[in-house]
Amino acid sequence: MEDHGGIQPMRPEDVKVCVLTIEGTNCEDEMADAFRAVGAQAEKVHLKQLIGKTPPETRKDLEDYDILALPGGFSAGDYIRAGAILAARIRSSIGKEVERFVDDGRPVLGVCNGFQILVELGLLPAFDETMSKTATAALYTNDSGRFECRPTVLRNDNRGKCIFTSSIEKGRTLVMPIAHAEGKLLSLDPNFVQRLEDNDQIVFRYVKEDGSKAEYPWNPNGTESDIAGICNPAGNVMGMMPHPERVITRLTHSDWTRNCRSMEGDGLPIFRSVVQKIR
Amino acid sequence: MTGEGLMVKRKVPFELYDINILASKDEDLKRISSDMSLGLSLDEMKVIKGYFEKEGRNPTDIELQALGQAWSEHCCYKSSKSILRQFVFGIDREDVLSRGDAGVMVFDDKHGYALRAESHNHPSAIEPYGGAATGVGGILRDVVCMGAQPIGLADPLCFGPIDTAADLPPGVKHPRYLLGGAISGIRDYGNRCGIPTVTGGLFFDERYIGNCLVNVGCFGIVKREELLRNFAGGPGEVMILIGGRTGRDGIHGVNFASQDLTATSDDDSRGAVQLGDPITKEPVIHACLKVNEQKLITGMKDLGGGGLSCVVGEMALAGGCGADVDMEKVPLKEEGLAPWEIWVSESQERMMCTCKPENVEKILEIFEMWDVSATPIAKTTDSERMRLFWKGEKVFEMDLEFLTGGPLYDRPYTLPKVSTKKDEVFPDLPGNNEVILSLLSDLNIASREWAIRQYDHEVRGATAIRPMVGKLNMTGPGDAAILMPVRGSMKGLAVTTGCNPWFTALDPYKGGMSSMDEACRNIVAVGARPNAITDCLNFGNPEKPERLGEFREAVRGIGDFAKGLGIPIPSGNVSLYNEGSGGVSVLPTPMIVGCGLIDDTRKAVTADLKKEGSTIFLVGKTLDEMGGSLLFRKYGGSGGDVPGVDIERLKETMDKLLEAMDKKLVLSCHDCSDGGLAVSMAEMCISGDIGAEIDIQAEGPDMKRALYSESNSRWLVEVDEKNAASFKDIMKGYAVKIGRTGGNALSIPKAGVSISVKDMRKAWSDPIWKIMGGSNQ
């Protein structure tokens, strides 16, 4: 029997996921369905329900959930920096609860706009504290200057810290689509990539189909060191630009009619990893 | 505003005029129509005068404005309806669930799918970004008000050549600018609402320079028990106005859409272009679907052309009741709007629902949750009249039948002279290698990747077949997209666009048929069965007999095809007056948006060649039909027979091909359209990154026709060698073996063709990138 160090993992059906929405989030249905596909309970929750701005019977408490997921979209229109408005709203309302949630070791996933929000919130890269006071990195406009929707190939470069890749072997490549205009991870810190590397915070890198170093369009946005996804130093907060929730089945992969190894989509292992590992 | 004596300001603390039409002579009536921008003809003004004579009073400015909206071509189809009735209305099948603001067809036992297309041409010619964006907004609302969740968007667009160096007529914007703006508008709106843009088309021709076409289509999914009506349940109900505030944007949009563009349209009509706000729209969709799911409403309709003036009357009349409206309750963007401006404004992101009074509170609570404004503004009554009040003062009272009835015309038309083989001039051609590369680089063939990748075509995580298919980052053109709208079900909805404006210009009847054929063969190419279509018919000024003749013949072609194949058209849209300054009409453009069903999406087929050594079949018959072909257009040919459709033959072919696909005998399949067999084969090589060797039994000019004729009802099919015999058995005489896959070049030895896949990809990939900027490498 596997040693769980005395703490039993939760049964998947007991895992409660909060999929957070506000106006302009639009990938919440597929995000909730992705968690359901691995047996968890997922609920779409509007930020107003968490901060007590709705009738009492519809209010929710972040404390009651085991996983927090921030789906993609254009929160509040993203008319200023992507993710900035929602991040500011979260920080000013339930910032403390979110910080406690993360300190508690509970997993937080941000995809696309969700990743941008995690960076704006200071939950990523979060080198020195759980939630830095101000953002220390940003997701900047793609080198092409355009919104792009295309498949990408990702390599799992995490050495074992990130809970979301716990069941994915290191070096395995996964195909997932991106759909964003701002996905180039930047920081003013000259040692940014090295620090991520040292802390085992790099989760996914864009690569070519054969696993070799990416260039455009395989690296779709020009991000430094081809980084597609990172986690916090504790490994329980992960943000990524590609959309794993869109490839839960092989049938939504872009080339499945010529390349159909199994019916399982490449996004599924991410959700399975976290739901199996949570305790 | 109109002059002395005819307009009398009423003594009320807001702007309201009584218009003295009872005392008006013909000249005055004309002046009133033009000064108030009503867009009504003298005859129509006289009918209105007659109505108010019976009422025994003069109309208010609001009443005349409302008539101007309701009687516009855009709202009442006065020139097109009798033709539509004759040829396309009433093609029925028992799986048509609704012919409301969007058509709804049976998807499976529990669900229906919605489909609808619409034009947003004139606004887009003035302000392409806003025009295209609000076009998307409007079509989304049409689907939502059936109670359906939007699941996909279509965006067929027609522009002048984006590389044109010609002098543009006054007031006309460069096609490159218009295309860039329209794509950005669709991108920003569709992406922000989270609805994938999965099909469409780009058509380039000189004749779109003065008047571009921006058509948008939308598909939705609805539980059949939640299917919604677009009208009130009866008297005594409350009308709730939902969504955005009302402002001065989009005033007289329908009148603007119902006349030709002119050199000064930009200055005159910018106010007719609405402003879109996708981040209001997105929660509006959520909240509207929520109140419907909880069965709190009786009907819903979107505020599109004509704004409140159209929606209130139509919802009441269709529900068999009248309505009393409290206009001062309408939430405004700014103070100081005159009542008539509020009444006809086309401000975006607004919907209207009707409900029983006891449900009002629950409904408002749900909208509050989504921060969407919702305001009860009217009640339905048991009269046949609509009355408007402004702070207690009655400003409007009209018979609803009269208001929304509108005139109907049988305008004179002349039948066009069609192109035939008799007057064919076959052009001189360079060698076939050069011809194929140059066709691949033509703007009407070249890769649309620049546009397609700016659209999120897979948000919602249900896109199984995308607009581009093939190897990662080496993709080529697909035929139809497939969506899997019901989670956990393998059933797919195939969606596509078909149109051939060049055929339609030379032979409108065959052009209408060919556009339908293209939509159907695209659907069949992915393994789905054509189920229903919706159309957006873009033509010129119907008051010119030759333009109306084109319209009539194209509609007849569409109707004959639909009846022959038993394909319903549960919704549709007509856009006339598409003429630029100088009276140049657009190419007659019957845009067909088609839907098909596939029971098991795992059996779907794409156009990219899959492996070396397989057999290539041509399904369908190539005829000597060069009229309107890309080859002729490019190399200066003229005349020739335009491709026709043999419906019975198409039916047989389609059934057999679908049977072979269902038996998994087909590795890849692509339809033959623009550029003929040669271009289709090249495209399959490009997306599969595999060459092919083709052997066609023809010589001399016959070889050229075989390669470039655009005969309808044809597909190229790749079949694994071991299945070739079984495939042929099923297809009987409808498929001919023409070659095999392999190598890294397309070679057709008898035609002297040998071009590497790499060169073909380059010729096909680069042109639009080069003009619009950026690259795919």
Side-chain angles (χ1 to χ4, degrees):
Chain A
M1 205 172 151
E2 218 178 317
D3 178 15
H4 292 291
I7 305 168
Q8 291 299 312
M10 293 174 73
R11 295 182 308 167
E13 60 269 34
D14 294 332
V15 175
K16 288 183 72 182
V17 185
C18 170
V19 178
L20 186 65
T21 72
I22 65 161
E23 70 275 11
T25 36
N26 59 32
C27 301
E28 65 271 23
D29 288 337
E30 49 270 43
M31 179 68 92
D33 283 337
F35 278 105
R36 289 175 194 137
V38 292
Q41 299 175 42
E43 204 179 331
K44 291 175 278 180
V45 179
H46 197 286
L47 180 63
K48 285 172 78 178
Q49 293 175 278
L50 290 179
I51 61 182
K53 292 266 176 72
T54 60
E57 67 277 13
T58 63
R59 288 187 196 159
K60 306 282 178 189
D61 190 345
L62 188 59
E63 270 302 301
D64 297 336
Y65 296 92
D66 306 298
I67 298 175
L68 173 64
L70 305 178
F74 292 79
S75 53
D78 278 355
Y79 290 116
I80 59 167
R81 228 169 34 253
I85 295 178
L86 179 53
R89 269 200 235 168
I90 292 176
R91 188 188 281 277
S92 67
S93 55
I94 50 164
K96 285 274 166 294
E97 284 97 316
V98 171
E99 192 171 358
R100 206 157 50 227
F101 193 92
V102 174
D103 270 337
D104 210 21
R106 284 186 261 185
V108 178
L109 172 64
V111 169
C112 197
N113 195 224
F115 182 16
Q116 294 160 345
I117 292 162
L118 291 177
V119 171
E120 286 289 330
L121 263 179
L123 286 173
L124 287 175
F127 287 136
D128 304 314
E129 48 195 329
T130 308
M131 187 167 168
S132 45
K133 302 279 174 299
T134 53
T136 58
L139 286 145
Y140 193 69
T141 308
N142 299 348
D143 276 355
S144 67
R146 284 187 309 274
F147 181 97
E148 295 207 31
C149 176
R150 57 168 70 251
T152 59
V153 182
L154 308 179
R155 186 182 59 215
N156 174 20
D157 275 1
N158 198 259
R159 300 192 293 272
K161 183 176 272 182
C162 180
I163 188 170
F164 291 91
T165 48
S166 51
S167 73
I168 304 170
E169 60 192 283
K170 182 167 181 305
R172 180 180 163 190
T173 57
L174 303 166
V175 178
M176 280 176 219
I178 58 107
H180 61 251
E182 291 128 353
K184 183 177 175 176
L185 185 63
L186 285 181
S187 169
L188 292 174
D189 180 350
N191 298 319
F192 183 60
V193 174
Q194 196 53 53
R195 288 179 80 179
L196 289 172
E197 198 75 79
D198 293 347
N199 290 341
D200 194 17
Q201 285 184 252
I202 294 173
V203 185
F204 291 116
R205 276 196 171 89
Y206 300 110
V207 290
K208 282 189 182 165
E209 214 172 358
D210 60 7
S212 62
K213 170 147 180 57
E215 59 232 20
Y216 185 80
W218 300 97
N219 173 342
N221 48 37
T223 188
E224 200 183 341
S225 187
D226 304 317
I227 295 171
I230 60 172
C231 64
N232 66 349
N236 64 324
V237 177
M238 178 177 80
M240 61 192 292
M241 289 314 296
H243 286 273
E245 80 285 5
R246 294 186 183 181
V247 277
I248 294 306
T249 142
R250 184 63 48 182
L251 290 179
T252 51
H253 274 251
S254 67
D255 64 344
W256 68 269
T257 57
R258 59 185 306 119
N259 189 359
C260 196
R261 295 180 300 276
S262 82
M263 286 316 286
E264 184 175 306
D266 281 2
L268 200 68
I270 291 179
F271 298 94
R272 189 186 287 135
S273 295
V274 64
V275 168
Q276 282 180 352
K277 195 70 183 269
I278 195 167
R279 53 194 67 197
Chain B
M1 272 281 158
T2 194
E4 334 72 61
L6 294 176
M7 298 188 65
V8 184
K9 185 167 183 326
R10 208 183 277 186
K11 290 199 181 65
V12 285
F14 53 90
E15 207 187 314
L16 178 73
Y17 290 87
D18 292 295
I19 315 295
N20 191 356
I21 67 169
L22 298 188
S24 289
K25 306 229 166 20
D26 288 1
E27 279 313 300
D28 296 329
L29 290 175
K30 276 198 236 168
R31 217 174 83 216
I32 290 168
S33 176
S34 98
D35 288 359
M36 293 177 72
S37 303
L38 301 178
L40 295 170
S41 71
L42 176 60
D43 287 338
E44 288 161 353
M45 288 299 289
K46 281 179 170 168
V47 174
I48 291 168
K49 183 176 168 182
Y51 172 84
F52 282 99
E53 273 166 356
K54 270 189 279 171
E55 294 276 313
R57 64 177 174 90
N58 273 315
T60 61
D61 52 354
I62 311 181
E63 288 171 322
L64 281 186
Q65 289 289 356
L67 284 162
Q69 302 293 310
W71 290 17
S72 65
E73 187 68 56
H74 184 92
C75 290
C76 78
Y77 286 43
K78 56 192 170 190
S79 304
S80 61
K81 201 176 236 170
S82 70
I83 292 170
L84 296 170
R85 198 174 274 155
Q86 191 178 349
F87 298 116
V88 298
F89 282 0
I91 301 170
D92 227 338
R93 229 174 44 196
E94 56 195 21
D95 57 345
V96 178
L97 296 176
S98 174
R99 295 174 184 274
D101 285 8
V104 182
M105 301 292 301
V106 169
F107 180 71
D108 60 23
D109 289 348
K110 292 205 176 79
H111 300 85
Y113 74 87
L115 70 161
R116 161 90 176 170
E118 204 169 63
S119 66
H120 233 227
N121 302 338
H122 285 184
S124 305
I126 302 290
E127 210 283 87
Y129 182 88
T134 53
V136 175
I139 203 73
L140 284 166
R141 288 194 302 273
D142 280 328
V143 163
V144 168
C145 67
M146 304 313 296
Q149 164 70 51
I151 54 171
L153 290 165
D155 68 323
L157 310 170
C158 309
F159 295 94
I162 44 178
D163 54 354
T164 188
D167 279 338
L168 300 172
V172 167
K173 301 189 164 83
H174 196 279
R176 183 176 177 275
Y177 163 80
L178 291 173
L179 174 67
I183 299 283
S184 303
I186 294 165
R187 173 196 66 205
D188 286 356
Y189 206 103
N191 292 355
R192 283 203 165 97
C193 282
I195 310 301
T197 301
V198 289
T199 178
L202 285 179
F203 301 78
F204 299 105
D205 193 274
E206 304 280 338
R207 283 178 62 188
Y208 297 118
I209 285 181
N211 189 136
C212 62
L213 302 180
V214 171
N215 292 179
V216 284
C218 184
F219 316 99
I221 191 88
V222 56
K223 285 194 184 124
R224 286 165 69 173
E225 56 179 30
E226 290 173 10
L227 181 60
L228 199 52
R229 298 183 311 188
N230 310 122
F231 48 86
E237 294 194 341
V238 178
M239 286 186 166
I240 301 179
L241 178 61
I242 299 157
R245 291 169 170 267
T246 301
R248 283 208 174 88
D249 47 320
I251 286 185
H252 286 147
V254 299
N255 308 108
F256 173 47
S258 304
Q259 63 202 23
D260 296 343
L261 289 172
T262 65
T264 58
S265 286
D266 194 357
D267 295 335
D268 303 344
S269 305
R270 189 167 278 268
V273 182
Q274 307 89 338
L275 308 167
D277 175 12
I279 300 306
T280 300
K281 168 59 67 40
E282 204 264 343
V284 167
I285 297 177
H286 276 291
C288 285
L289 294 178
K290 195 88 185 162
V291 292
N292 180 44
E293 192 184 297
Q294 299 194 4
K295 307 234 179 289
L296 296 172
I297 58 177
T298 55
M300 190 181 295
K301 195 171 177 68
D302 87 293
L303 275 74
L308 282 165
S309 82
C310 286
V311 79
V312 175
E314 288 172 16
M315 286 191 88
L317 184 68
C321 42
D324 281 354
V325 185
D326 289 325
M327 286 193 66
E328 78 274 7
K329 292 200 178 142
V330 175
L332 300 179
K333 285 186 184 171
E334 56 193 310
E335 286 299 306
L337 268 73
W340 75 266
E341 291 181 302
I342 297 169
W343 198 234
V344 303
S345 162
E346 294 176 13
S347 288
Q348 290 288 297
E349 328 308 351
R350 299 180 301 164
M351 307 274 282
M352 185 79 86
C353 71
T354 51
C355 68
K356 302 272 178 259
E358 60 269 27
N359 290 329
V360 171
E361 207 171 313
K362 275 190 221 145
I363 292 171
L364 298 187
E365 217 169 72
I366 290 172
F367 283 107
E368 167 74 31
M369 163 80 206
W370 288 98
D371 291 319
V372 171
S373 144
T375 318
I377 64 155
K379 287 190 186 70
T380 58
T381 62
D382 58 3
S383 80
E384 283 157 3
R385 292 168 83 84
M386 181 157 70
R387 302 190 300 173
L388 269 55
F389 297 90
W390 181 268
K391 297 188 176 149
E393 174 92 6
K394 187 168 75 182
V395 299
F396 182 116
E397 173 166 5
M398 281 178 74
D399 184 57
L400 272 175
E401 286 278 4
F402 177 75
L403 172 65
T404 57
L408 276 190
Y409 297 126
D410 281 308
R411 295 191 192 276
Y413 61 86
T414 50
L415 290 182
K417 181 179 174 302
V418 302
S419 167
T420 62
K421 172 80 182 164
K422 237 180 22 236
D423 37 54
E424 179 181 288
V425 179
F426 202 98
D428 288 333
L429 298 179
N432 284 314
N433 283 348
E434 192 185 326
V435 173
I436 291 174
L437 286 173
S438 127
L439 293 180
L440 286 170
S441 311
D442 187 273
L443 286 181
N444 282 302
I445 299 278
S447 172
R448 275 82 178 108
E449 187 179 23
W450 169 80
I452 290 172
R453 299 229 176 271
Q454 294 191 57
Y455 303 145
D456 193 336
H457 40 261
E458 48 197 24
V459 57
R460 300 189 58 74
T463 309
I465 304 293
R466 288 161 179 69
M468 299 193 72
V469 298
K471 280 179 105 163
L472 295 186
N473 287 332
M474 282 193 161
T475 48
D479 291 285
I482 297 184
L483 300 167
M484 294 197 296
V486 178
R487 211 63 81 179
S489 158
M490 286 298 159
K491 185 139 187 173
L493 178 70
V495 295
T496 190
T497 310
C499 187
N500 194 312
W502 299 281
F503 292 177
T504 313
L506 293 180
D507 187 334
Y509 176 76
K510 286 183 178 171
M513 282 211 147
S514 299
S515 299
M516 291 286 280
D517 193 87
E518 187 183 6
C520 287
R521 39 178 215 268
N522 284 344
I523 290 167
V524 171
V526 298
R529 179 171 290 281
N531 185 261
I533 69 113
T534 184
D535 54 21
C536 191
L537 307 173
N538 310 269
F539 287 77
N541 185 339
E543 295 163 45
K544 298 179 183 169
E546 64 276 22
R547 295 281 91 86
L548 194 63
E550 287 175 342
F551 176 75
R552 180 187 186 275
E553 285 300 281
V555 171
R556 188 166 70 88
I558 292 168
D560 281 356
F561 187 102
K563 283 174 206 154
L565 222 58
I567 297 199
I569 310 176
S571 62
N573 176 256
V574 177
S575 168
L576 303 175
Y577 297 94
N578 288 297
E579 307 210 353
S581 56
V584 182
S585 162
V586 296
L587 287 171
T589 309
M591 200 62 77
I592 307 295
V593 175
C595 292
L597 297 176
I598 178 169
D599 283 332
D600 185 350
T601 301
R602 286 172 294 192
K603 291 180 177 170
V605 175
T606 51
D608 44 314
L609 291 180
K610 301 296 187 296
K611 56 194 271 193
E612 306 219 351
S614 33
T615 308
I616 300 167
F617 287 92
L618 170 65
V619 172
K621 220 173 181 176
T622 308
L623 302 170
D624 179 2
E625 297 172 313
M626 299 306 295
S629 62
L630 179 63
L631 186 83
F632 271 31
R633 280 155 32 222
K634 201 158 186 85
Y635 289 101
S638 65
D641 282 341
V642 171
V645 179
D646 178 341
I647 294 273
E648 288 310 313
R649 209 184 148 82
L650 166 63
K651 259 195 222 170
E652 293 262 313
T653 320
M654 213 172 83
D655 285 348
K656 292 187 191 317
L657 184 51
L658 286 172
E659 185 189 334
M661 286 169 158
D662 190 56
K663 294 194 166 134
K664 297 191 173 179
L665 297 176
V666 172
L667 288 173
S668 66
C669 179
H670 190 29
D671 86 315
C672 296
S673 56
D674 308 59
L677 183 154
V679 165
S680 290
M681 196 63 243
E683 289 174 340
M684 293 175 82
C685 293
I686 290 170
S687 49
D689 198 29
I690 298 173
E693 181 162 335
I694 303 297
D695 181 21
I696 296 174
Q697 303 303 320
E699 279 170 40
D702 288 345
M703 174 57 93
K704 290 182 181 132
R705 296 182 203 281
L707 292 179
Y708 308 118
S709 163
E710 296 176 14
S711 289
N712 285 310
S713 313
R714 294 182 306 153
W715 295 264
L716 287 172
V717 177
E718 178 196 8
V719 178
D720 196 316
E721 201 187 358
K722 68 179 193 288
N723 293 324
S726 326
F727 179 78
K728 236 181 152 270
D729 270 355
I730 292 177
M731 296 306 296
K732 302 279 183 320
Y734 293 100
V736 183
K737 179 178 166 181
I738 60 161
R740 47 191 288 122
T741 63
N744 49 21
L746 171 63
S747 82
I748 312 174
K750 284 210 177 76
V753 173
S754 176
I755 320 169
S756 74
V757 175
K758 206 170 145 214
D759 286 348
M760 293 195 295
R761 180 177 296 116
K762 186 160 176 46
W764 176 78
S765 296
D766 292 350
I768 294 183
W769 285 108
K770 274 194 185 144
I771 299 168
M772 300 309 294
S775 94
N776 56 344
Q777 290 304 314

